[in-house]
Amino acid sequence: MSDTVTADAGSQAAAPHYLSKQPTGYPDVDMCRQRLARNQYNGDAWFSLLRAVKSTGNDKLIYDSFDDAIKQYPTSSQFLAKFAEFELSRGKNASAEAVFNNNLFNVPSLELWQCYLNYVLKSNANAHGVVESHDGRATVTDCYKLVLDNVGLDREAGGIWMDYINFLSTMQTSAPYEEHQKTKLLRETYQAAVVIPMAKVEEIWKQYDAFENRIDRATVKQMLSKLSPLYMAARAAYRETSKTWDSIRRTQPPRNLPVPPEWSLREVEFLDSWRKYLGWELSNPLHLEDPVLLHRRIVYAYNQACMALRFYPEIWIEFANYLQSRELTNEAIEKLQMASKVIPSSLAVQFAYAEMAERHRLPDVSKQVYTQVISLTRSDIDRTSQRYTRRLEKLNKQLTEPAASKNPANTDADGMQGFAEDDGEISELSEDSESGNSSNYNSDGYASDASDMDVVGSGGHEQTSQSKKALKMLKRRIAKTKSRMERRLKEKRETYTLSWIMYLRYAQRSEGIESVRQLLRKIRAEPAGYITYHVYVAVALMEYHIAKRPVIAGKLFELCAKTYSDQPEFISKYMDFLINSGDDTNARALFERFQSTSIGDSRHMWLVASDFEYNYGDMNAIAKLDKRFIDKFDHETLLTRMAARYSYMDVNGVAINEFGLPHRKDIRGGLSLGDSDGRRMAGSHDGHDLGALGNVSLRDDTPLSAGGLGVSVGSVAGRGTDKAQLLAPVNPNRYTKLSVANLEEYNPVIEAYTPAEFTQQYVTTPMSGSYGRPESREPITPLSVRPHVQLLEQGDILSYIAASVAAPDTTELDNQPLNVDALLDTIMQQDISAPRITSSYRPLAYMPWLNRNEPAHRQHHNQPYGGGGGGSYGRDRSSTRQYPPRSRSRGRRDSTEAEGYRGNSARGSNGGSSHYGNRHAPYARSNSRPSYRSNSSRGNERSSHR
């Protein structure tokens, strides 16, 4: 077993199929195997299987199960660590060491390295768990260094760093030199740990602070001050990425085992979270000046992503491109080679690998990759065809043998046995019961309730009814299997064709057009049904653009037209080629040849012909073609043809503004705004109408809605539309429901108004006096937009405070100062037992918080209230009555000398009652007539800032 458990990240064994194995005799084990046969990426089933086989005590069964699990997940640290611990528990240290040696450097996982560290510590410790010998401590120290060099940058590695520090602290020394070496090693370890954004970094920093204080208090402040910014940056970075990592853990697959993506919302969020973290690492948020350390962090992050997103091609390709940008060519090629073995079915990875080898002058590698991809995709077509053929044979046999169809269990067993050879489509068996089936029937098409299959009484009426129902469901399954077979084979053929086209491009770049012609001979030798017309179009256009031989290109198109004469897309491409090459006569002849055949019902071919005539034909030809167009298609009218004729590319002003086609229901489909060729109008939908559908996807598994077709269900214009397509129920198993958790919270931005905007926008009626009531009151505006004047007049004090906070520079009312102390006293005396908003009028004379004794010329909004000038025009200190502050928290007392507020003879006001300049300062009220403030520049400057 030790030889087989090797998690080479660049190898992936075939998936185990337990249905092909004999039953073990253990019910729990067999049940787990059945679950894995249906879905080999079921993480819970794998862990349940390992628990079940351990409870049996069967060594062969245990080793086989571990072997299968590690082959399925060769980079899973969970399975590798469990197997190593299992071997250590049985005393097989050599087997466990083989697991460590073969997998530690291929699987940069903290869990596996922690298992290895525990093994080394246990091997060198005494019965009490203490490492006493000198050689043992040296071995453990080297082991700690090795572990930290490989996974010390992990955000969860704080525990290992603290264990290493504690281990060094307990080291016994017998000489001053050894003590000095111990102190030096501890300081280096502390300094390396506190700059890593990881868990427990704050605890390590506190220990480091205490450590330095014990060593030398004189130099500790200087030493910590140099390291403190790096520690603060690491701590902030750890907190910054915590949200991203929470999203990763929340959306990761069950048991954190990689799963091929099916592009659900959860998987997309999982991928986006990882990409966000990788972008964060690439941005160098720690501002590392050492490029080696930065490179280590980025490579470690990408390795972690490649393990978590093992079956996502883009992560491998981005990692290779990063290595290439660092001029690490060999590492980049090795990474793509590893990815090509991990996901051999990924065309993106295979093509990226071949192209990188081509850029670095490795033609043998590129050619080998392309030939392997072609061979793999072709065998995939054969395997899919054989699998569905066997399936249909079994279903047809059940149709001809009613006795066999009475046992639904046989259908499942045979079906899964036939599909057991495939590693990715076993789950298709569960798709046989789709939205068209009733909820009373299971996936085999039979009644799920046993009572429905029972014969009631001695009569045979119920049995006959059930037999007819089962026969009907069986025929439906056959039809669905055939449909699925055609869809899957079409996908496989397109993949095979794309592989050949990529190989042809490479051959043309590296060896020239003659190599392309030789490969075309091999393609033509393929049996019918393996290659689509796209290959011949690609070769013909290569002959036209590269070899400059339009005659050869035209012959290739004509040769292909004999085989693919039933493909309207190919005929349209053929027409485009003839038009672009200037062969107008043959373009018109091609249209006339095929317009009367079955593909003549395709509007796309007619649209190509009409576009050509509109741009380059004469009026007689245009009129004749329009008449034929209208006669051919029921929903085409003179109006739609005029709209198409009076447009060019995406300029559709006539159709939109003058005819209003996008808004009219009497003309079905309207104008296709999504099509780059705006001339194409909507009409009858036959599956090839690109103009009518615009950018609507034509995938077989994507239902077209009424909005996508431009019609309203139930309208007169929608009568010709397939109602089954528009009104078919959605299968909840296939289409994911909207998750409320993924909705973003709507936070509207409230803009603050300036006093000028308030006055201009809302205060339309002038005041009757300085403190008078407005002559006519307008309806009360909402609280968020009321002017401050209206709020105070209406007695709405709390709203006034809220508005003042939103616009702090509007703290004046008709040039009158605001007595904050009196305002607070008034608020405290109000009855606030129940909130109320009143619109009653309150005269300003009863507003004690307004200091009406202060003149207007003193109330600039930047001047502190109650403070002010002095000097030769100011007041004397003795003439000012000071009110003591209410509490120490309200502010500090007037300190003229401390704050630098002096009179005009020095730098500011002389002897004035200058306060701190905010509302927390004690309020000053003068008994004498106030005078003008000082014009000292420094005094004004300080007041403005305060």
Side-chain angles (χ1 to χ4, degrees):
M1 179 65 192
S2 61
D3 297 334
T4 59
V5 181
T6 303
D8 184 4
S11 62
Q12 183 183 24
H17 296 290
Y18 291 107
L19 283 179
S20 60
K21 298 182 179 181
Q22 296 297 327
T24 61
Y26 302 99
D28 293 341
V29 176
D30 292 338
M31 182 180 64
C32 293
R33 286 187 168 188
Q34 292 290 333
R35 292 172 61 190
L36 291 173
R38 293 179 179 272
N39 182 11
Q40 61 182 352
Y41 296 105
N42 189 338
D44 293 332
W46 280 110
F47 279 89
S48 299
L49 176 65
L50 294 180
R51 287 195 301 269
V53 296
K54 285 182 179 179
S55 62
T56 63
N58 189 330
D59 290 349
K60 184 179 184 304
L61 196 58
I62 293 174
Y63 283 115
D64 289 345
S65 299
F66 268 114
D67 191 17
D68 292 335
I70 294 176
K71 284 181 179 179
Q72 179 70 21
Y73 299 101
T75 58
S76 173
S77 60
Q78 303 177 70
F79 291 146
L80 292 171
K82 284 182 178 298
F83 179 70
E85 292 172 355
F86 173 74
E87 291 292 75
L88 290 174
S89 64
R90 298 165 66 93
K92 297 183 178 181
N93 295 347
S95 178
E97 291 177 359
V99 174
F100 293 137
N101 293 331
N102 295 329
N103 301 287
L104 276 176
F105 297 99
N106 294 326
V107 184
S109 170
L110 189 67
E111 182 178 0
L112 185 60
W113 280 96
Q114 182 69 65
C115 180
Y116 167 68
L117 180 61
N118 295 337
Y119 166 68
V120 174
L121 287 172
K122 186 176 180 180
S123 301
N124 293 274
N126 55 18
H128 301 285
V130 179
V131 182
E132 295 180 340
S133 63
H134 181 272
D135 295 339
R137 299 189 69 86
T139 302
V140 172
T141 302
D142 294 339
C143 179
Y144 267 116
K145 291 181 179 179
L146 180 64
V147 171
L148 294 176
D149 286 341
N150 285 273
V151 294
L153 298 176
D154 196 285
R155 60 181 282 108
E156 302 298 333
I160 297 181
W161 282 100
M162 294 190 69
D163 293 341
Y164 182 40
I165 292 172
N166 295 334
F167 174 77
L168 294 178
S169 301
T170 59
M171 185 181 299
Q172 300 295 329
T173 58
S174 57
Y177 173 76
E178 294 181 355
E179 184 66 24
H180 175 71
Q181 292 296 324
K182 172 184 174 181
T183 303
K184 181 180 179 182
L185 184 58
L186 272 172
R187 179 177 288 114
E188 292 175 353
T189 305
Y190 273 121
Q191 293 177 355
V194 295
V195 297
I196 300 175
M198 61 182 178
K200 300 183 180 181
V201 66
E202 297 181 9
E203 299 180 25
I204 298 176
W205 175 261
K206 293 178 181 179
Q207 292 184 9
Y208 177 51
D209 190 355
F211 167 77
E212 292 292 355
N213 277 281
R214 289 195 304 268
I215 299 301
D216 188 359
R217 287 182 174 271
T219 60
V220 62
K221 185 175 181 181
Q222 181 180 3
M223 187 174 298
L224 293 179
S225 63
K226 294 180 180 179
L227 202 61
S228 178
L230 300 178
Y231 156 70
M232 296 295 290
R235 187 182 66 174
Y238 176 77
R239 295 177 178 177
E240 180 182 354
T241 56
S242 295
K243 186 176 181 180
T244 303
W245 276 98
D246 291 342
S247 177
I248 290 175
R249 296 187 183 97
R250 186 182 67 255
T251 57
Q252 67 185 8
R255 302 284 185 165
N256 197 20
L257 295 176
V259 178
E262 297 180 357
W263 302 112
S264 62
L265 294 178
R266 182 188 183 96
E267 291 171 340
V268 171
E269 185 179 356
F270 183 59
L271 175 62
D272 291 344
S273 300
W274 267 107
R275 291 181 62 86
K276 183 178 180 181
Y277 171 67
L278 292 175
W280 182 83
E281 288 286 359
L282 288 170
S283 65
N284 189 15
L286 299 177
H287 304 288
L288 300 176
E289 299 179 356
D290 186 4
V292 177
L293 181 57
L294 176 62
H295 176 69
R296 282 185 56 202
R297 287 194 59 86
I298 295 175
V299 168
Y300 183 79
Y302 267 116
N303 282 326
Q304 295 291 312
C306 287
M307 290 193 301
L309 304 169
R310 180 175 175 82
F311 302 107
Y312 290 75
E314 59 187 275
I315 299 300
W316 295 90
I317 297 174
E318 289 183 6
F319 191 10
N321 289 336
Y322 166 75
L323 295 175
Q324 174 65 25
S325 65
R326 299 279 298 179
E327 298 182 357
L328 301 173
T329 303
N330 295 333
E331 290 81 352
I333 294 177
E334 290 177 0
K335 189 59 64 176
L336 285 178
Q337 182 182 11
M338 185 185 303
S340 66
K341 295 179 180 179
V342 170
I343 37 180
S345 60
S346 172
L347 297 182
V349 168
Q350 302 292 348
F351 295 156
Y353 179 33
E355 288 176 353
M356 183 166 289
E358 180 184 356
R359 286 198 300 268
H360 295 91
R361 308 299 178 88
L362 299 173
D364 295 337
V365 175
S366 298
K367 187 175 295 185
Q368 181 182 3
V369 172
Y370 283 118
T371 53
Q372 288 179 354
V373 171
I374 290 173
S375 176
L376 179 64
T377 52
R378 192 188 190 285
S379 61
D380 201 10
I381 295 177
D382 296 334
R383 185 167 57 251
T384 303
S385 178
Q386 293 173 6
R387 182 173 58 254
Y388 277 101
T389 301
R390 289 195 302 267
R391 180 65 174 162
L392 288 174
E393 289 177 355
K394 294 179 182 297
L395 292 176
N396 289 326
K397 185 178 179 181
Q398 295 174 14
L399 187 63
T400 57
E401 299 177 3
S405 63
K406 292 181 180 179
N407 188 5
N410 294 338
T411 304
D412 258 352
D414 295 340
M416 295 196 69
Q417 184 68 28
F419 276 70
E421 297 179 5
D422 186 74
D423 59 347
E425 300 176 4
I426 297 178
S427 60
E428 287 190 358
L429 292 175
S430 61
E431 297 179 4
D432 287 335
S433 59
E434 296 184 356
S435 59
N437 295 352
S438 174
S439 60
N440 294 329
Y441 295 89
N442 59 17
S443 61
D444 297 309
Y446 298 97
S448 58
D449 192 320
S451 62
D452 295 338
M453 299 298 295
D454 293 339
V455 179
V456 180
S458 58
H461 177 71
E462 291 81 1
Q463 183 176 5
T464 303
S465 176
Q466 293 295 335
S467 299
K468 289 182 179 180
K469 188 178 295 186
L471 187 63
K472 182 179 179 181
M473 298 301 298
L474 187 59
K475 290 181 179 180
R476 182 180 298 179
R477 291 194 64 192
I478 293 174
K480 289 185 177 180
T481 303
K482 289 181 179 179
S483 176
R484 190 177 297 112
M485 176 182 179
E486 292 299 326
R487 185 174 70 249
R488 296 294 295 171
L489 285 178
K490 181 182 178 182
E491 294 176 359
K492 302 298 182 183
R493 293 190 191 105
E494 292 176 352
T495 302
Y496 184 47
T497 302
L498 181 62
S499 303
W500 270 113
I501 293 175
M502 296 298 107
Y503 191 17
L504 290 170
R505 289 181 181 178
Y506 164 74
Q508 184 275 323
R509 291 192 301 263
S510 59
E511 300 176 6
I513 194 65
E514 188 61 34
S515 177
V516 174
R517 295 167 184 164
Q518 294 177 3
L519 291 176
L520 183 60
R521 297 188 183 98
K522 296 181 180 180
I523 295 174
R524 294 188 59 190
E526 289 287 345
Y530 279 76
I531 296 291
T532 64
Y533 69 89
H534 302 83
V535 168
Y536 296 95
V537 174
V539 175
L541 294 180
M542 286 182 186
E543 291 284 354
Y544 177 73
H545 290 286
I546 297 174
K548 309 300 181 182
R549 302 175 68 178
V551 177
I552 299 298
K555 290 182 178 180
L556 283 173
F557 270 109
E558 187 61 29
L559 177 64
C560 187
K562 298 178 181 178
T563 306
Y564 302 99
S565 59
D566 59 340
Q567 300 288 334
E569 294 87 356
F570 169 74
I571 301 303
S572 300
K573 288 291 183 182
Y574 192 4
M575 290 182 63
D576 288 336
F577 165 74
L578 294 175
I579 292 172
N580 294 330
S581 60
D583 195 350
D584 303 347
T585 303
N586 283 329
R588 291 188 175 95
L590 180 67
F591 172 73
E592 295 297 337
R593 181 171 58 167
F594 286 98
Q595 61 87 20
S596 59
T597 61
S598 60
I599 66 172
D601 296 334
S602 170
R603 289 187 70 254
H604 185 63
M605 187 178 69
W606 285 80
L607 291 172
V608 173
S610 62
D611 177 65
F612 171 69
E613 294 295 346
Y614 291 162
N615 286 285
Y616 313 111
D618 54 25
M619 279 308 304
N620 292 331
I622 293 173
K624 291 179 181 179
L625 183 60
D626 280 348
K627 185 178 183 305
R628 295 171 63 185
F629 210 131
I630 295 172
D631 295 339
K632 181 72 174 179
F633 301 100
D634 296 337
H635 298 283
E636 285 292 342
T637 63
L638 180 61
L639 186 62
T640 59
R641 289 295 89 213
M642 290 176 62
R645 192 162 66 247
Y646 302 153
S647 63
Y648 187 78
M649 297 180 68
D650 58 344
V651 180
N652 307 293
V654 173
I656 297 175
N657 301 325
E658 300 186 22
F659 294 161
L661 294 189
H663 311 288
R664 296 175 60 174
K665 296 182 179 180
D666 57 335
I667 300 178
R668 206 185 108 200
L671 181 64
S672 172
L673 300 180
D675 194 352
S676 60
D677 298 331
R679 60 193 177 278
R680 298 180 181 175
M681 311 300 298
S684 61
H685 173 61
D686 57 359
H688 309 295
D689 185 6
L690 303 181
L693 297 180
N695 292 332
V696 178
S697 175
L698 296 180
R699 291 181 55 188
D700 295 335
D701 57 348
T702 304
L704 291 177
S705 63
L709 293 174
V711 301
S712 299
V713 180
S715 64
V716 177
R719 289 178 180 176
T721 309
D722 186 6
K723 295 298 190 299
Q725 187 180 34
L726 294 176
L727 303 178
V730 177
N731 186 2
N733 297 327
R734 178 176 293 181
Y735 301 101
T736 308
K737 295 182 179 179
L738 178 64
S739 176
V740 181
N742 294 327
L743 298 180
E744 296 182 358
E745 184 179 359
Y746 175 65
N747 294 321
V749 179
I750 301 176
E751 299 181 357
Y753 283 85
T754 62
E757 292 174 335
F758 270 121
T759 304
Q760 181 180 2
Q761 210 166 357
Y762 300 103
V763 184
T764 58
T765 304
M767 293 289 186
S768 59
S770 300
Y771 305 103
R773 182 179 179 181
E775 297 177 357
S776 63
R777 294 188 63 85
E778 298 292 334
I780 299 176
T781 55
L783 293 180
S784 59
V785 296
R786 290 182 187 174
H788 294 63
V789 174
Q790 296 180 8
L791 293 176
L792 289 178
E793 288 180 350
Q794 295 155 10
D796 197 348
I797 302 170
L798 298 181
S799 298
Y800 172 77
I801 296 176
S804 301
V805 173
D809 57 339
T810 59
T811 55
E812 58 184 2
L813 176 64
D814 286 345
N815 295 327
Q816 297 304 316
L818 180 65
N819 188 333
V820 180
D821 289 356
L823 173 60
L824 294 177
D825 290 340
T826 302
I827 294 174
M828 296 301 295
Q829 294 171 8
Q830 293 293 325
D831 183 12
I832 58 174
S833 59
R836 63 188 181 90
I837 299 177
T838 177
S839 60
S840 60
Y841 172 74
R842 171 173 288 186
L844 296 181
Y846 295 99
M847 299 181 184
W849 54 85
L850 289 177
N851 185 6
R852 301 176 60 182
N853 295 326
E854 297 290 342
H857 59 260
R858 294 198 44 178
Q859 306 309 321
H860 191 275
H861 67 275
N862 287 330
Q863 183 72 14
Y865 301 114
S872 58
Y873 297 99
R875 294 170 290 180
D876 189 75
R877 182 185 297 272
S878 61
S879 63
T880 303
R881 182 168 70 249
Q882 299 287 342
Y883 286 87
R886 298 181 180 274
S887 64
R888 298 182 63 88
S889 61
R890 291 278 309 276
R892 47 192 172 187
R893 284 184 174 274
D894 182 21
S895 178
T896 305
E897 294 77 14
E899 298 297 330
Y901 289 84
R902 296 187 177 91
N904 194 26
S905 61
R907 300 188 220 177
S909 58
N910 184 16
S913 178
S914 175
H915 299 289
Y916 196 69
N918 54 30
R919 64 179 183 179
H920 299 292
Y923 185 76
R925 180 175 295 173
S926 174
N927 291 328
S928 61
R929 180 179 180 86
S931 61
Y932 291 93
R933 62 184 178 187
S934 173
N935 57 359
S936 172
S937 60
R938 185 175 181 90
N940 292 337
E941 221 174 25
R942 290 182 177 274
S943 299
S944 299
H945 286 294
R946 293 299 178 186

